[in-house]
Amino acid sequence: MNGALLGLGIDSVDIPRFAQVLDRRPGLALRLFTPGEQDYAAGLANPVPSLAARFAAKEAVMKALSVGLGAFEWVDVEVVRAESGAPRLVVTGRAASLADDRGITGWHLSLTHTDSVASAVVAAVA
């Protein structure tokens, strides 16, 4: 995946605010996150920073594709962990169709978080 850069997206999420939203709307996590993402986060002492980073990754994918909210389902983008522990993207459904239309053949992902902010950077490549 060393091809040409076709899109770049970055997003940050306020973790305490995200925690409040999830508390107020418990069913929201089912709409935003795949079962695999939910299972991974459930195994953590505090799942909110991990979920916030994954939400930021999904928004960063939208930006890398130059589309807005509603262009694809949140669960069309999944953050998984490679054997090394590095995060990587699995893009399916409408998000994959949009990527194919733009000639995107691969993704690079970086996630980070502090106690208060989670961020993701996504690069779409050909």
Side-chain angles (χ1 to χ4, degrees):
M1 276 195 291
N2 292 328
L5 180 65
L6 297 181
L8 186 64
I10 184 170
D11 194 69
S12 294
V13 174
D14 180 284
I15 293 172
R17 184 169 179 265
F18 192 70
Q20 290 174 344
V21 170
L22 291 177
D23 284 344
R24 281 195 311 261
R25 300 177 59 198
L28 183 62
L30 298 175
R31 210 174 100 234
L32 296 178
F33 303 106
T34 66
E37 290 170 322
Q38 293 172 50
D39 288 346
Y40 172 74
L44 302 173
N46 179 3
V48 177
S50 175
L51 291 174
R54 281 155 174 72
F55 182 76
K58 294 165 191 270
E59 292 238 340
V61 168
M62 287 180 197
K63 293 172 182 175
L65 288 170
S66 298
V67 299
L69 292 174
F72 57 81
E73 299 295 323
W74 295 104
V75 295
D76 287 352
V77 174
E78 180 177 21
V79 176
V80 299
R81 291 170 53 105
E83 281 187 34
S84 66
R88 67 179 185 84
L89 290 172
V90 175
V91 179
T92 60
R94 181 75 181 129
S97 294
L98 291 165
D100 288 344
D101 292 347
R102 289 159 174 76
I104 296 167
T105 59
W107 302 92
H108 297 282
L109 170 64
S110 182
L111 302 175
T112 191
H113 64 79
T114 66
D115 290 339
S116 61
V117 177
S119 298
V121 175
V122 170
V125 296

